[in-house]
Amino acid sequence: MPTKREDASTHPLASTIKLVFHCLPQTASSKKMDSNSIGVLMTCPMSPPYLEQELDRRYRLLRFWKFPQKTELLKPHSQEIRAVVGNATIGANAELIDALPKLEIVSSYSVGLDKIDLAKCKDRGIKVTYTPDLITDDAADLGIALILAVLRKIRGCDLFVRRGPVWKNGDFQLTSKFTGKSVGIIGLGRIGTAIAKRAEAFDCPISYYSRSEKADTNYKYYPSVIDLASNCQILVVTCSLTPETRHIINREVIDALGPKGVLINIGRGPHVDEAELVSALVEGRLGGAGLDVFENEPEAPEELFGLDNVVLLPHVGSGTIETRTAMADLVLGNLEAHFLNKPLLTPVV
Amino acid sequence: MASIVLYLNNSAKDITFPLLEDRFQFLNPNTSSDSLFSSLAGTVRILLCVANSPVNSETLDKYPSLECVVGSTTGLNHIDLAECRRRGIRVTNAGDAFADDAADYAVGLLIETLRRISAADRFVRAGSWAVKGQFPLSYKVWGKRVGIAGMGSIGRRISKRLQAFGCSIAYNSRKPKANISFPFYASVQELASNVDILVVCCALTNETRHIINRDVMKALGKEGIIVNIGRGSLIDEKEMVKLLVKGEIGGAGLDVFENEPVVPRELHALDNVVLSPHRGGAVPESLLRLQEIMIANIEAFFANKPLLSEIELESLSWILS
C-alpha cells in the first residue's frame, strides 16, 4: 500500500542521501574499485528485502544466518569482511569484532546502539554509523497509538467483534479517556519531544524526567523517575538504554504510577523490570501497559496474554515500509561514503 | 417541587443519569405507576431521550404538551426531526460531551489501521513472534494526507490532533466553513481523489446516506483507507466490503455499521481492517459532562432561557416544509 506521496523524499536527510547517490554513480573510478569484491556481513534477515538486495548487488554479501555454525562462515571469510550491517536484534559484539581482523565499519540498520560494542570499535578504529532521526516519527506515532489502544481498548474491541461474544445492542463497556490526561516522559530526546508534541494536541499536560533539566522547554521537569511517576497518569519510556537506565522502571516506580496508571515502553525491554511489571499487571496494581519491547525478544511474558488492559507488540517501533526504505538508503549511503573515502553521512559520535 | 421530565429508554442500553435523578422528577412509562403516569402524560413538557430510543410521531402523539426533546447522544437520527419541527418542538443533543472522545477514537482507529496494531498484538499472543520472526512492515502515519468528511466539532478536533502527526488536512462539508483554513472540496469524491485517508464524521441525514459510495471509494484508491466514526449508513457497506475483499481499497477502521450489531463476516478475516462495536463515544468522564449538559438544557428550558445545545431545526436542509 504505497502512499500517493513519497514521504521518504520529504525527510530532512533525504536530500543528503540523494546527493550522495548522485555523486556515486557507476563511474570509472568506482568500477575500478570493484565494490563487488568488498565483503559485507549482514547479521540477520532484515525487511524490507530492498536492503539485502542492494547489498547483494553492490558488494560480496555474506549472510550470517545462513551459517548454523558461525565458524563455518568466519574461518574462510574473515579476511574479506570489511563491513558489518547489523540491527537492533543482532549487532556487532566483542566476539564478532574480534573474529573480523579487516573490519573497517559497522553500519547499523537501527538507531539503538546497545548491540554494538562501541568501546571495542573505538579501540580498533572501526567506524560506526546508525540511522538517527528517521524513526522519530514512527516511534512517536506508535507511542500515542499504544496509549489510545490501551485506554480505549481498541484491540479488545476488535477481538470482541471478530470472535464474540456476539455484540448485542446493549453491550457496551466503558473505557478510559485520553484527552487531558497527564503524560510523563522519560527521556526528552527526539522521540520524547515528538511524543510530547502529539500528546499536546490531545490537551495533555506534559512532564518529564531526564538526566538534566532541558533549558529550551516549558514542560515540567521532575528530578526523579519516582516523582514523575507519582505525578502523571501515563508514563512513557523513551530514553536510550545504558547501564544507568537498565530497570529504570522498577517496583517503586510501578507502585508510584499505581492502579490507574498506564506504562508505555517504546524504549528497550531492559528499561523495565519485566518480572515486577508482570506481577503488578496480573495483580491489578498497575492500570495498564502498552509494550513494544521486552527483555527477551522475541519472547513476551505469557502471563500477560490473557489481560485486556495490555497491548503487546513485536518491536514494530520503526516497522513501516516508508521508514525502513529510508533507513536502508542511509545504511547504503554510509557504506558507499566510507569505501569512497568520503565523509560518513551519520557517524556515531 | 422538582420539575417533571419524561424519561424514555427504549434502547437496549442500561444507562442511568444519577445527577439528573437528584434534580428532576422522572416520569418513566416503564416504571411509574399507572395513575401517576396517566395524570401527567398529558401535561409533561420535556422529554429526556436515552441513547437511541426512537422518538417519532407515535411517541409525540402520546405526549401532546411536549415542547422540548433533550437528547443524550451526539447523533440524532433516531429522532424524527422533521416531525419535531412541524410541531414546534425544540431539540437538544449531547453538545460537545463526546467530541473529544470521538476525535481521540478516530485518531486511534486511523493509527491502528495503518500500523496494524491489533494484528501485531494477535501475532504476539499467538506465539508467532518467536516462530515466524518479524511481523510484516506496516505503513507510516506521519505526513499522510487526510480528508475529513464533515467539519463539525468532531472534525475540527480530529484535524487538530492529526496535524500534530504531520498530516495535512482537507475537508468536505455542506458549505465551506468561515473560520477553517484547510482546503475545501465541494464533493466528497473530489476530496477522496486528493487524500490518502478519508475520515467520515458527519451527521447522518437523508442527504448524507451512502455519501461514501463506490465512486468515492474508487477515487480514494487501492492505497487509501477509510475511518468511520459517524454512522454506518454514511457508507455503502456492501460496496465497501466488496472493495476491501478485492483489495481495491487499502484498509478501514470502522466503529459503526449499517445494521449494528451485525458486522459483515467477510471483514472478520481481513488484517487491514479494524472493527469496533460503536464505542467511540462512551467513557466515564464524558458521561459526567453529558449529564452536566443535559441538566443545563433542562434547567434553561424551565427558566425560559436559551438552551445550551439546541439543534437548529430551521437551517437543516433535510427538513421538508
Side-chain angles (χ1 to χ4, degrees), chain A residues 247-251 254 269-278 295:
Chain A
H247 283 198
I248 197 173
I249 305 296
N250 54 24
R251 169 136 193 165
I254 293 171
H271 277 129
V272 175
D273 182 339
E274 203 160 279
E276 285 293 345
L277 176 66
V278 169
E295 290 213 79

Side-chain angles (χ1 to χ4, degrees), chain B residues 195-222:
Chain B
V195 300
D196 306 306
I197 302 168
L198 192 60
V199 179
V200 185
C201 52
C202 49
L204 177 64
T205 68
N206 292 334
E207 282 186 352
T208 60
R209 188 177 179 280
H210 284 197
I211 195 175
I212 311 297
N213 56 26
R214 185 185 161 81
D215 290 337
V216 171
M217 290 187 273
K218 294 284 284 179
L220 188 59
K222 276 188 191 301

Side-chain angles (χ1 to χ4, degrees), chain A residues 23-242:
Chain A
C23 295
L24 304 170
Q26 288 296 305
T27 60
S29 57
S30 62
K31 272 186 183 149
K32 244 167 105 173
M33 179 183 82
D34 191 15
S35 59
N36 284 320
S37 69
I38 298 175
V40 174
L41 178 70
M42 200 174 179
T43 61
C44 58
M46 300 175 200
S47 56
Y50 169 70
L51 178 59
E52 192 180 324
Q53 284 158 5
E54 280 300 305
L55 288 171
D56 198 31
R57 193 174 69 76
R58 294 158 195 241
Y59 304 108
R60 173 151 162 60
L61 180 64
L62 294 146
R63 298 167 177 82
F64 210 21
W65 64 96
K66 300 265 191 203
F67 295 84
Q69 294 293 345
K70 301 308 171 206
T71 43
E72 256 180 73
L73 171 122
L74 295 172
K75 261 210 183 119
H77 299 293
S78 61
Q79 298 293 325
E80 338 165 16
I81 294 171
R82 292 168 62 189
V84 165
V85 172
N87 67 0
T89 311
I90 305 182
N93 59 14
E95 194 191 330
L96 180 65
I97 296 171
D98 279 339
L100 302 173
K102 296 286 183 3
L103 185 60
E104 296 167 22
I105 178 169
V106 175
S107 186
S108 192
Y109 186 53
S110 74
V111 70
L113 297 166
D114 43 285
K115 291 280 169 32
I116 300 177
D117 192 329
L118 295 171
K120 193 149 208 94
C121 287
K122 195 165 177 209
D123 271 346
R124 284 261 307 263
I126 296 168
K127 297 185 198 154
V128 181
T129 65
Y130 67 145
T131 57
D133 245 359
L134 292 175
I135 72 154
T136 303
D137 292 320
D138 277 349
D141 292 347
L142 193 78
I144 303 291
L146 281 169
I147 295 174
L148 281 163
V150 173
L151 289 179
R152 301 299 295 271
K153 293 195 158 86
I154 300 181
R155 177 204 79 90
C157 285
D158 184 84
L159 214 61
F160 175 71
V161 174
R162 276 168 212 267
R163 300 212 190 134
V166 172
W167 168 23
K168 301 186 292 281
N169 259 320
D171 266 357
F172 83 108
Q173 194 198 108
L174 294 178
T175 57
S176 190
K177 196 178 180 95
F178 176 29
T179 286
K181 286 232 159 58
S182 51
V183 174
I185 302 178
I186 299 178
L188 203 66
R190 278 183 286 252
I191 299 174
T193 304
I195 291 182
K197 287 208 160 23
R198 286 156 175 74
E200 281 185 303
F202 293 80
D203 297 333
C204 296
I206 309 292
S207 50
Y208 72 102
Y209 163 79
S210 177
R211 265 169 313 183
S212 55
E213 194 169 354
K214 309 265 170 179
D216 53 351
T217 172
N218 287 328
Y219 305 138
K220 182 156 173 61
Y221 174 71
Y222 285 97
S224 80
V225 182
I226 294 209
D227 280 348
L228 181 66
S230 309
N231 287 286
C232 70
Q233 293 161 296
I234 303 168
L235 185 62
V236 183
V237 183
T238 176
C239 52
S240 49
L241 182 64
T242 66

Side-chain angles (χ1 to χ4, degrees), chain B residues 120-194:
Chain B
D121 179 284
R122 283 197 292 276
F123 185 78
V124 173
R125 287 180 209 236
S128 303
W129 191 12
V131 169
K132 294 189 187 166
Q134 233 174 351
F135 183 74
L137 297 180
S138 60
Y139 301 93
K140 194 174 175 116
V141 175
W142 177 268
K144 288 285 190 298
R145 300 172 306 163
V146 177
I148 312 254
M151 191 53 91
S153 57
I154 296 176
R156 274 164 225 253
R157 283 166 169 78
I158 293 173
S159 306
K160 176 182 164 195
R161 285 152 176 72
L162 288 178
Q163 282 187 296
F165 290 79
C167 293
S168 61
I169 309 288
Y171 74 106
N172 163 259
S173 180
R174 265 167 310 170
K175 308 191 286 272
K177 305 272 175 174
N179 47 3
I180 301 269
S181 56
F182 305 128
F184 171 80
Y185 287 93
S187 79
V188 187
Q189 188 162 333
E190 230 188 303
L191 179 69
S193 310
N194 287 284

Side-chain angles (χ1 to χ4, degrees), chain A residues 295-336:
Chain A
E295 290 213 79
N296 299 302
E297 294 170 20
E299 304 289 337
E302 284 187 24
E303 302 94 313
L304 300 182
F305 287 11
L307 298 183
D308 206 20
N309 55 341
V310 165
V311 177
L312 308 166
L313 299 181
H315 203 152
V316 292
S318 63
T320 66
I321 290 173
E322 297 93 329
T323 293
R324 289 295 174 84
T325 305
M327 283 167 65
D329 283 338
L330 200 48
V331 167
L332 295 164
N334 274 305
L335 287 175
E336 199 104 21

